[in-house]
Amino acid sequence: MAAWVEGRVIERIQWTDTLFSLRVDAQLLPYQAGQFTKLALERGEKRIQRAYSFVNPPSSPYHEFYLVEIPDGELTPSLGSLTVGDTLLVQSLASGFLTLDEIPAGRDLWLLSTGTAIGPFLSILAAGQAEQRFDNLVLVHGVRKGEELSYQPLIGELKARLGERLHYVPFVSRELWPDAMAGRIPAAIDSGALQERVGLSFSPEHSQVLICGNPEMVKATQLSLIEQGLAKNLRRTPGQISSENYW
Ligand SMILES: Cc1cc2nc3c(=O)[nH]c(=O)nc-3n(C[C@H](O)[C@H](O)[C@H](O)COP(=O)(O)OP(=O)(O)OC[C@H]3O[C@@H](n4cnc5c(N)ncnc54)[C@H](O)[C@@H]3O)c2cc1C
Ligand SMILES: NC(=O)c1ccc[n+]([C@@H]2O[C@H](COP(=O)([O-])OP(=O)(O)OC[C@H]3O[C@@H](n4cnc5c(N)ncnc54)[C@H](OP(=O)(O)O)[C@@H]3O)[C@@H](O)[C@H]2O)c1
């Protein structure tokens, strides 16, 4: 059974009323960009635990998690009230297959996310190996409101480092927002609006696509990509679509 270790909150970033990040100091086993671990709090005899992706690249001296507080959620309201110096439990062994070593070769790496699921893609981009394996890196982030387009400073640093090879495409579905696409990711793939904005099309030869977040978005996006001629990437039958559901 995986061991739990104590972690200490060393920094907190509040992005909106409900979105926040925790930087945690904890002695964890080595992990890869794109993986997740579990965070837990003890409530009486009970340990309430949930999965959270690392936002930081594995070389960071801290572990960072990006969370949304679910109003009636069992764990996130308590994680949301942690402040610097507070402790929590962290599973020392990470898991997950949304990692570059699971992804076949390609030219264009598409990273499609909703909400807090941009986290593992920021880790992958910050880690620096993606740019060695792919010519084009496309980071797509779908949110309800413009203020939820978190991590702009880090995205700015990535743009500065990667230049035109990084295509950042925000989607805002519930209001008009400057420079963002309106609506939802799969609809924009179906219409070709996403491909037009980026200047790249989907093809089995060139594309590798990672999808992460809302399970309904994951399902709809998989179907849209299959319509574009791509196939799921399975260990036995390599393809172009890899995904992770957040719930
Ligand atoms: C592999 C994996 C990685 C994950 N990584 C993250 C992460 O980095 N950040 C994060 O915030 N959550 C992440 N989650 C979700 C997380 O594990 C919890 O489900 C979430 O924090 C809600 O916990 P809760 O106890 O407060 O809510 P619960 O009482 O468990 O309520 C769950 C409900 O909340 C909603 N919900 C859950 N997660 C989200 C979310 N991220 N965004 C919007 N609605 C959601 C869904 O409607 C779900 O049915 C991940 C889940 C998985 C499986
Ligand atoms: N975001 C907030 O303002 C907010 C505030 C307080 C609490 N919460 C809690 O957080 C949870 C929702 O968080 P969230 O807004 O990060 O996640 P979300 O509901 O998954 O929405 C994120 C993005 O995914 C899109 N989406 C949803 N279903 C889709 C589908 N089937 N196909 C394609 N795209 C889809 C949404 O578009 P649509 O807008 O078209 O659905 C939105 O742009 C809820 O449990 C809520 O209680 C959220």
Side-chain angles (χ1 to χ4, degrees):
M1 223 168 64
W4 289 90
V5 297
E6 187 179 83
R8 186 173 297 275
V9 177
I10 54 168
E11 201 176 327
R12 223 195 112 94
I13 307 165
Q14 192 73 40
W15 303 99
T16 68
D17 286 352
T18 53
L19 291 169
F20 62 100
S21 297
L22 297 175
R23 281 188 184 171
V24 174
D25 180 33
Q27 293 298 316
L28 306 184
L29 293 166
Y31 53 87
Q32 295 180 62
Q35 287 195 304
F36 64 89
T37 188
K38 287 184 176 166
L39 301 180
L41 291 171
E42 274 166 349
R43 209 168 285 155
E45 300 280 281
K46 228 173 134 191
R47 186 163 58 208
I48 319 288
Q49 60 185 65
R50 293 286 185 277
Y52 296 97
S53 303
F54 294 97
V55 181
N56 58 288
S59 58
S60 289
Y62 52 78
H63 314 289
E64 181 162 331
F65 306 96
Y66 175 43
L67 283 82
V68 59
E69 190 170 324
I70 307 293
D72 304 320
E74 200 182 353
L75 184 61
T76 49
S78 310
L79 290 175
S81 58
L82 294 178
T83 55
V84 171
D86 286 346
T87 58
L88 70 170
L89 291 169
V90 187
Q91 205 164 69
S92 58
L93 181 64
S95 338
F97 301 108
L98 207 66
T99 53
L100 280 188
D101 63 0
E102 296 285 338
I103 308 301
R107 186 194 66 192
D108 310 326
L109 180 66
W110 297 77
L111 306 169
L112 311 182
S113 63
T114 50
T116 52
I118 191 177
F121 296 153
L122 292 173
S123 176
I124 286 173
L125 290 173
Q129 281 92 36
E131 69 220 57
Q132 291 166 17
R133 287 197 42 201
F134 294 89
D135 291 349
N136 295 298
L137 307 164
V138 187
L139 175 64
V140 178
H141 188 204
V143 297
R144 296 179 182 186
K145 302 279 183 149
E147 66 167 12
E148 294 161 14
L149 294 169
S150 309
Y151 280 101
Q152 292 302 315
L154 174 57
I155 291 166
E157 285 171 30
L158 292 169
K159 278 184 186 163
R161 194 181 86 216
L162 295 162
E164 291 186 352
R165 293 175 63 196
L166 178 66
H167 306 259
Y168 167 61
V169 185
F171 273 77
V172 176
S173 53
R174 300 199 185 184
E175 64 182 347
L176 285 175
W177 195 257
D179 298 326
M181 296 194 73
R184 291 177 162 190
I185 295 166
I189 293 172
D190 295 341
S191 71
L194 175 60
Q195 298 89 310
E196 193 180 326
R197 159 104 172 213
V198 175
L200 295 170
S201 53
F202 290 104
S203 75
E205 188 190 357
H206 293 310
S207 314
Q208 281 296 324
V209 189
L210 309 192
I211 316 170
C212 190
N214 182 318
E216 295 302 320
M217 178 283 291
V218 171
K219 197 159 62 176
T221 306
Q222 286 172 341
L223 291 175
S224 295
L225 292 169
I226 289 167
E227 279 289 303
Q228 298 287 320
L230 306 192
K232 284 192 189 177
N233 178 38
L234 307 171
R235 278 199 169 153
R236 269 181 298 168
T237 47
Q240 301 81 31
I241 309 169
S242 307
S243 40
E244 184 171 83
N245 289 333
Y246 261 16
W247 65 91

